[in-house]
Amino acid sequence: YNKEYKRCAEAPDHLQGEKNMPKKFLEAGKIVGTHGIRGDLKVQSWCDTPEVLCDFDTLYLDEKTPVEVKSAQVHKNVVLMHLKGVDTADAAAEKLRGKILHLDRDDVDLPEDLVFIQDILTFKVYDLRVDRVIGHIRDVLTSNPAHDMYEIAGEDGRLIYIPAIKPFLKEIDMDAGIVYVESIEGLIE
């Protein structure tokens, strides 16, 4: 998500969006099964690509339970992961099925122009074309191969979809909790 372009004037108080306190631990994927007899786990990645999960030496079952990743590789759109201490499919690995894996945001070197989706959920969306708040970020849909889409809960209860790319996305103001967009005629009406 691009935070670039010119910085808009400081947002007035009535425009300030709901600020999310950034979570230290972010959901990164779910253990969906086992693979083989040596305790390898099948992990459904919730990251931009499954390869992202292969870059971590430590993941977390929760804030207090780190797990050491011994190996990880992508196989048929899942990550096959081996965790330290999980050496058989029928014992520890099966008990982990359904668990959510988290990553520590401090372990991620996020480029300056990207943000975590979880950080912008509930941000107000201000449309520069109509000069008003049109709703708030309800979700970011990542299934479109061309680009992500903002799913916006409109002020009138409708769902509005705006591409999360130039020229529609103008700025994300993390401090004010506002996403600035510029729609085209017919997109939000």
Side-chain angles (χ1 to χ4, degrees), residues 95-186:
K95 291 178 186 173
L96 292 171
R97 183 189 300 264
K99 298 281 187 187
I100 305 300
L101 290 173
H102 299 77
L103 57 88
D104 184 334
R105 77 168 47 241
D106 295 337
D107 294 341
V108 180
D109 187 21
L110 197 63
E112 181 70 27
D113 63 341
L114 295 179
V115 298
F116 291 110
I117 290 173
Q118 294 176 30
D119 290 346
I120 64 169
L121 295 178
T122 73
F123 274 23
K124 286 188 178 183
V125 179
Y126 188 90
D127 188 338
L128 298 169
R129 181 180 67 86
V130 296
D131 197 27
R132 65 179 170 83
V133 171
I134 59 171
H136 67 272
I137 300 287
R138 182 172 178 259
D139 199 0
V140 179
L141 308 178
T142 60
S143 57
N144 182 341
H147 53 76
D148 294 347
M149 295 284 286
Y150 291 131
E151 182 177 76
I152 301 163
E155 297 287 296
D156 59 1
R158 292 181 309 126
L159 290 179
I160 301 166
Y161 297 92
I162 294 183
I165 56 167
K166 297 178 195 178
F168 302 100
L169 175 60
K170 296 299 182 181
E171 178 186 4
I172 298 175
D173 187 332
M174 298 300 289
D175 295 328
I178 301 174
V179 176
Y180 291 95
V181 298
E182 188 167 356
S183 67
I184 57 175
E185 194 169 330

